[in-house]
Amino acid sequence: MVDLNSLNPQQRQAAETINGPVLILAGAGTGKTRVITFRIAHMIARGIAPDNILAVTFTNKAAREMQQRASKLIPRARTNADEKPPRPTICTFHSLCVRILRQHIEKLGYKRNFVIYDESEQLGAIKKILANISAKGEKTDPGAILSLLSRFKNGGERAAVFGDPNVRAMAEHVAKRYESALHACNAVDFDDLILLTLRLFKEHPDALEACRVKYRYVMVDEYQDTNAAQFQLVNLLTVKHRNLCVVGDDDQSIYGWRGAEIANLLDLEKHFPEVKIVKLEQNYRSTNTILNAANALIKHNVRRRPKQLWSQKGQGTKIALRAYETDEDEAREVVAGIEFARLAHRVTWAQNAILFRTNQQSRVLETGLRAAGVRYHLIGGQSYFDRREVRDLLAYLKTFLNPHDDISLLRIANTPARGLSDVTMERLLGASHERKESVFTAMKNPAVTTTFQTRTRESIEAFVEFIERTQAGLNNASEATNSRGHPTLQAWAEDFLNETGYLVELRRAEKEPEAGENRVRNLRDLVATLDRSAPASPSLHERLEKFLEDVTLDSDREEKEEAKGDAVTLITIHSCKGLEFPHVYIVGLEDGLLPHSRSKVEGTLDEERRLFYVAVTRAMLTLTISHCGGRKKYGQVMPCQPSPFLKELPAELVETEAELSKKPVEASTGTNLFAAMRAAAD
């Protein structure tokens, strides 16, 4: 038998309740993965066949962790050497559907060896269709079409009012051709996996019955994140035997924008009136100060299942609330706090996490960390310096400094499109190899360019002229001030970006207008910093060299040192669910960021509050929350107001800077800190 004595009473009850519908309300940090794995092991110990057990979660990482932990608890069955012992099925929704379709998809007119198209293959199929049906000169963004097709599949009603009407009409026109094209290749896409399984169950009840017989005990993790199709799938599998165990926390439902329906958890009794509810409220992660703040915050959401997190870890220190003038001040002071704790209290970088609402906030944080020489790694978003548009701009800058840098030139030659196709650039690269010269030199060589058709040759010549003219503007400016007629690097860069039409292209290429604006903002924010590297130098050329040198050296250091493992975690709040850190900094608690400005229009304020709740409950020992009076956008500081959520934190649990300054400092504190910092320096 499995030893359940290490579980607390509520965890044990959840693990022992095997038959019938069960809802395990697992609050943040209450050990839900432990409960799920012990429950699986207990079921097997009680005689349930492992291959009759199905546990479904959302990510491959979560499924792997569950498999590993369950394997340690499940006794190894004795089998013949050639036989694999039966194991429970622990997988994601999509991999479950692949298993089912591999067995039964022939009933839907596909072959069993179907392939699953990724996004690039989907875009390729759409491009071919558009090439055949579009009028001459008509341009339609295949990415926008693909986005709409996905929305049609997962929620046709919402898709009907989404995006540009012309694109919607084209998407509807493309939809059937796209399905036929994939079917002709015996291919399905990611969205098809669940939808085809539902269609299989509807059209072929024998396939559904076979799955019900096999999966007699079904568990679903993160149930608050299920969408309509996933709910339907679970319901079809379990409605007869009713051995369904769902694990989740409505207070951590933060993916409504992705189609998750919190009602699946809140309204479970409508479908399973006999459901048994077990609450896990003992938290093993945080201090009671942090938990009491989280409890007080989330109670402002009316539609929820009540629960009260508590801990045996003591009261802990108060939550630090800090206000700064600008986002640059905020980043600098957060980094200073991390460094002070490292030197004075031996808190490693890896014990710290900085949480933020939007990817755009990472730029100033990354810059602050780099300036202080603090290692970090970014989770839940691309590093600012790894974003496509930033890499493109850096490639342009490197090309203007040195047109013979083939890697940079090849990256931007047709970005945005200027008649220099991949085929053209491959031919030019081949010619440069034959002649042992740079691609740029080959582009200027008549012996090479005359081998191209007239239109392509003109495109090559126009590109060479653009590079040389922009380069001349960089080299000829002897004074760099902010007055007109003496351009700064910022003005020079804005000029060539506008000439290329790259900013227009960035906006056009994104499915969502806001995403395009964010990319443009990333570039403008970077361009606004170009003159800071060597302000004393009058030469734009020297300034640019220094700027690129600083960026390159920072990148080199990051790549070499990241492998050491001691690094601050920089993470979006959406990506931090399930993680924990001893010391957490939540930045940007401003109205319009958290809650996001969209939430007021879309009526999703409750979800924004749940997002803040998730962020707060990541902290184990200390929590620092900060906001700014102004945040920089397009090089200008825009005024900000504190988040209304800050008023929902109990005053007795929060310590402001003003309160901190009134505290008397004992003489021994300074002596101890000095000794610790000196020891750290030795």
Side-chain angles (χ1 to χ4, degrees):
M1 297 294 287
V2 177
D3 183 10
L4 302 179
N5 290 325
S6 62
L7 304 180
N8 70 38
Q10 291 73 32
Q11 289 176 330
R12 182 165 185 153
Q13 184 187 10
E16 287 180 330
T17 308
I18 293 174
N19 295 305
V22 184
L23 166 57
I24 301 173
L25 272 179
T30 56
K32 71 177 177 68
T33 305
R34 181 176 173 79
V35 171
I36 293 170
T37 52
F38 267 85
R39 189 175 189 272
I40 292 170
H42 180 65
M43 290 165 75
I44 293 169
R46 291 287 301 271
I48 294 171
D51 45 9
N52 287 154
I53 299 170
L54 168 66
V56 187
T57 188
F58 276 83
T59 66
N60 289 316
K61 182 185 174 186
R64 279 194 302 272
E65 184 188 351
M66 217 177 279
Q67 283 168 341
Q68 289 164 2
R69 289 170 70 167
S71 294
K72 292 175 183 176
L73 296 171
I74 300 168
R76 292 194 174 276
R78 291 184 181 178
T79 58
N80 296 329
D82 296 335
E83 289 181 24
K84 284 187 177 179
R87 311 298 284 173
T89 302
I90 302 174
C91 61
T92 64
F93 273 102
H94 288 98
S95 58
L96 169 66
C97 291
V98 170
R99 289 170 188 239
I100 294 169
L101 291 172
R102 289 282 180 220
Q103 285 184 290
H104 301 285
I105 201 167
E106 287 171 324
K107 295 180 172 75
L108 300 177
Y110 292 79
K111 295 175 184 173
R112 283 195 185 188
N113 63 341
F114 64 88
V115 295
I116 303 166
Y117 270 13
D118 63 19
E119 188 176 355
S120 63
E121 290 162 330
Q122 290 174 266
L123 285 170
I126 289 169
K127 284 175 185 174
K128 281 186 182 178
I129 295 165
L130 290 174
N132 289 329
I133 66 173
S134 297
K136 194 172 183 181
E138 183 182 14
K139 286 189 175 180
T140 308
D141 178 12
I145 298 290
L146 180 58
S147 176
L148 270 175
L149 290 179
S150 180
R151 284 172 180 259
F152 286 153
K153 289 181 179 185
N154 290 301
E157 290 179 14
R158 276 177 292 178
V161 294
F162 172 77
D164 183 281
N166 295 326
V167 178
R168 279 206 309 272
M170 181 61 82
E172 289 169 3
H173 198 42
V174 165
K176 282 192 176 179
R177 287 178 169 85
Y178 173 73
E179 279 184 38
S180 299
L182 262 64
H183 201 162
C185 300
N186 196 38
V188 300
D189 65 24
F190 210 58
D191 294 320
D192 287 331
L193 293 171
I194 292 178
L195 297 179
L196 283 173
T197 304
L198 290 174
R199 188 183 134 202
L200 172 76
F201 286 169
K202 184 179 178 182
E203 295 177 6
H204 301 276
D206 56 321
L208 172 57
E209 191 56 36
C211 290
R212 283 175 177 166
V213 169
K214 179 172 176 58
Y215 302 123
R216 295 178 192 172
Y217 294 84
V218 177
M219 300 178 70
V220 184
D221 189 20
E222 303 286 11
Y223 194 65
Q224 76 280 349
D225 294 337
T226 52
N227 62 27
Q230 290 158 342
F231 169 80
Q232 199 179 344
L233 182 68
V234 170
N235 215 38
L236 283 170
L237 286 173
T238 59
V239 72
K240 276 196 174 179
H241 59 61
R242 306 186 79 74
N243 292 323
L244 171 65
C245 173
V246 301
V247 186
D249 180 9
D250 49 309
D251 291 336
Q252 296 186 74
S253 179
I254 58 174
Y255 296 117
W257 50 276
R258 215 161 62 183
E261 298 190 9
I262 193 172
N264 293 347
L265 189 146
L266 293 175
D267 300 335
L268 190 63
E269 289 90 340
K270 288 183 181 178
H271 306 278
F272 297 92
E274 75 277 30
V275 65
K276 183 169 185 175
I277 300 172
V278 182
K279 289 185 186 180
L280 305 183
E281 295 171 297
Q282 182 177 355
N283 176 286
Y284 293 89
R285 174 184 299 154
S286 309
T287 64
N288 280 302
T289 292
I290 292 165
L291 297 179
N292 290 340
N295 289 332
L297 172 74
I298 203 64
K299 278 179 183 171
H300 287 81
N301 278 3
V302 178
R303 186 158 151 73
R304 62 182 287 264
R305 291 182 182 267
K307 61 190 80 67
Q308 188 80 5
L309 296 179
W310 61 277
S311 166
Q312 291 182 337
K313 292 202 163 193
Q315 199 60 21
T317 58
K318 286 189 176 185
I319 295 166
L321 180 61
R322 303 286 179 260
Y324 301 105
E325 284 192 22
T326 69
D327 51 347
E328 289 180 346
D329 294 334
E330 179 182 50
R332 187 171 56 253
E333 290 303 315
V334 166
V335 173
I338 289 170
E339 281 298 85
F340 178 79
R342 182 173 72 89
L343 295 171
H345 303 298
R346 295 181 180 261
V347 174
T348 63
W349 284 330
Q351 291 175 293
N352 296 279
I354 307 173
L355 278 51
F356 47 91
R357 174 66 176 84
T358 68
N359 279 315
Q360 279 62 49
Q361 289 169 263
S362 77
R363 182 194 66 81
V364 69
L365 294 166
E366 288 188 74
T367 302
L369 289 160
R370 283 168 174 247
V374 176
R375 288 193 293 274
Y376 69 90
H377 61 274
L378 189 79
I379 301 174
Q382 272 183 309
S383 165
Y384 176 78
F385 295 95
D386 285 335
R387 288 173 185 152
R388 171 171 55 86
E389 65 275 15
V390 172
R391 284 186 174 274
D392 286 347
L393 176 59
L394 293 176
Y396 265 110
L397 298 177
K398 288 175 182 177
T399 301
F400 294 135
L401 271 186
N402 175 20
H404 305 292
D405 173 355
D406 283 353
I407 292 173
S408 297
L409 183 136
L410 289 168
R411 182 178 181 96
I412 55 96
N414 208 39
T415 305
R418 50 170 68 89
L420 300 174
S421 67
D422 289 347
V423 173
T424 299
M425 296 314 296
E426 282 171 16
R427 282 182 59 188
L428 286 166
L429 184 61
S432 74
H433 284 161
E434 284 176 15
R435 289 169 168 74
K436 294 183 171 57
E437 59 191 18
S438 71
V439 173
F440 188 70
T441 303
M443 294 177 101
K444 295 173 70 175
N445 187 339
V448 174
T449 55
T450 50
T451 64
F452 289 88
Q453 291 184 346
T454 304
R455 186 178 293 179
T456 304
R457 187 171 66 250
E458 288 170 354
S459 296
I460 294 169
E461 289 166 356
F463 177 71
V464 168
E465 189 272 334
F466 162 69
I467 294 292
E468 292 183 333
R469 175 167 39 83
T470 310
Q471 193 180 29
L474 178 69
N475 294 330
N476 295 340
S478 59
E479 290 182 18
T481 69
N482 286 326
S483 60
R484 281 195 166 177
H486 300 290
T488 59
L489 268 179
Q490 179 177 350
W492 168 80
E494 285 172 349
D495 282 346
F496 81 72
L497 279 172
N498 288 330
E499 183 184 346
T500 61
Y502 184 59
L503 300 181
V504 175
E505 173 68 12
L506 278 180
R507 290 188 180 100
R508 192 197 67 78
E510 288 297 329
K511 303 165 190 173
E512 303 278 358
E514 187 178 353
E517 286 303 322
N518 286 339
R519 288 194 182 278
V520 169
R521 189 184 310 147
N522 285 335
L523 280 195
R524 287 189 166 155
D525 285 346
L526 181 59
V527 165
T529 69
L530 287 175
D531 294 290
R532 292 184 193 169
S533 285
S537 171
S539 163
L540 294 188
H541 192 281
E542 286 178 14
R543 286 190 187 197
L544 185 56
E545 280 182 332
K546 182 69 169 64
F547 172 82
L548 290 172
E549 181 184 293
D550 287 350
V551 170
T552 305
L553 288 174
D554 276 346
S555 298
D556 287 346
R557 184 194 69 218
E558 205 173 272
E559 286 169 16
K560 288 171 187 170
E561 296 185 352
E562 193 173 319
K564 293 181 182 176
D566 184 18
V568 174
T569 297
L570 217 54
I571 187 168
T572 62
I573 302 175
H574 273 107
S575 300
C576 76
K577 191 153 74 79
L579 302 178
E580 61 185 29
F581 308 93
H583 307 282
V584 168
Y585 296 81
I586 309 174
V587 299
L589 251 292
E590 294 138 31
D591 199 9
L593 270 180
L594 188 62
H596 198 279
S597 52
R598 283 197 311 263
S599 65
K600 294 167 187 174
V601 179
E602 298 171 355
T604 54
L605 194 63
D606 280 7
E607 181 156 323
E608 292 293 300
R609 186 178 284 108
R610 291 194 293 268
L611 201 56
F612 186 28
Y613 172 85
V614 165
V616 168
T617 54
R618 298 312 96 195
M620 299 167 73
L621 299 175
T622 70
L623 175 62
T624 303
I625 300 171
S626 58
H627 60 92
C628 305
R631 191 166 288 277
K632 195 168 277 188
K633 278 187 180 180
Y634 302 119
Q636 289 186 318
V637 177
M638 308 297 288
C640 302
Q641 294 298 319
S643 168
F645 292 155
L646 293 175
K647 295 177 183 175
E648 298 174 3
L649 298 173
E652 67 273 13
L653 302 177
V654 175
E655 185 173 68
T656 64
E657 196 126 37
E659 291 168 331
L660 186 66
S661 65
K662 292 175 187 175
K663 274 188 173 181
V665 180
E666 295 179 14
S668 60
T669 304
T671 306
N672 293 339
L673 285 178
F674 179 73
M677 293 176 79
R678 196 166 74 172
D682 289 344

